[in-house]
Amino acid sequence: MATQSIEQSAAFLAGANVAKEDLGGGIARQILGHGPDLMVVRVAFEAGAVGAVHAHPHSQSTYVESGRFEVVIDGETRVLGAGDGFYVAPHLDHGAVCLEAGVLIDTFSPAREDFLGGEG
């Protein structure tokens, strides 16, 4: 993965001015700041929305800002609510089902180049 091609975001970002990318299925994300080695993303889920099980080479730490989510990591499932968090090591299968509308704050290291492709 060539992270040298990733430029950093502005030093200050007003959430109200950051574009929301509609991912479909009741999920939307905003990239709230990034450099080559770190990225913070706000992901809003409608109740019933599914973050399909997937894996990636990035470390991920997630904070549950609001709502309730059934989260699976490497075959283990837990229900998490506001104030909870989870960590996903690189290459582990993980996903989430939104039980009650809410927001996840994802932090990735290194930054997700695939998320930046559509950023304008």
Side-chain angles (χ1 to χ4, degrees), residues 8-14 32-34:
Q8 68 185 34
S9 64
F12 297 98
L13 297 167
L32 297 179
H34 66 85

Side-chain angles (χ1 to χ4, degrees), residues 51-68:
V53 173
H54 64 286
H56 45 71
H58 311 80
S59 294
Q60 175 179 340
S61 184
T62 297
Y63 172 74
V64 181
E65 178 182 289
S66 61
R68 285 184 357 117

Side-chain angles (χ1 to χ4, degrees), residues 3-78:
T3 57
Q4 285 103 344
S5 65
I6 296 177
E7 295 185 23
Q8 68 185 34
S9 64
F12 297 98
L13 297 167
N17 297 331
V18 174
K20 293 179 184 170
E21 182 182 0
D22 184 354
L23 303 178
I27 303 174
R29 76 172 163 226
Q30 291 177 287
I31 298 173
L32 297 179
H34 66 85
D37 298 323
L38 185 67
M39 174 180 275
V40 176
V41 180
R42 181 181 190 273
V43 188
F45 288 76
E46 295 175 6
V50 176
V53 173
H54 64 286
H56 45 71
H58 311 80
S59 294
Q60 175 179 340
S61 184
T62 297
Y63 172 74
V64 181
E65 178 182 289
S66 61
R68 285 184 357 117
F69 296 83
E70 183 179 86
V71 178
V72 62
I73 302 170
D74 198 28
E76 183 176 349
T77 302
R78 299 276 175 93

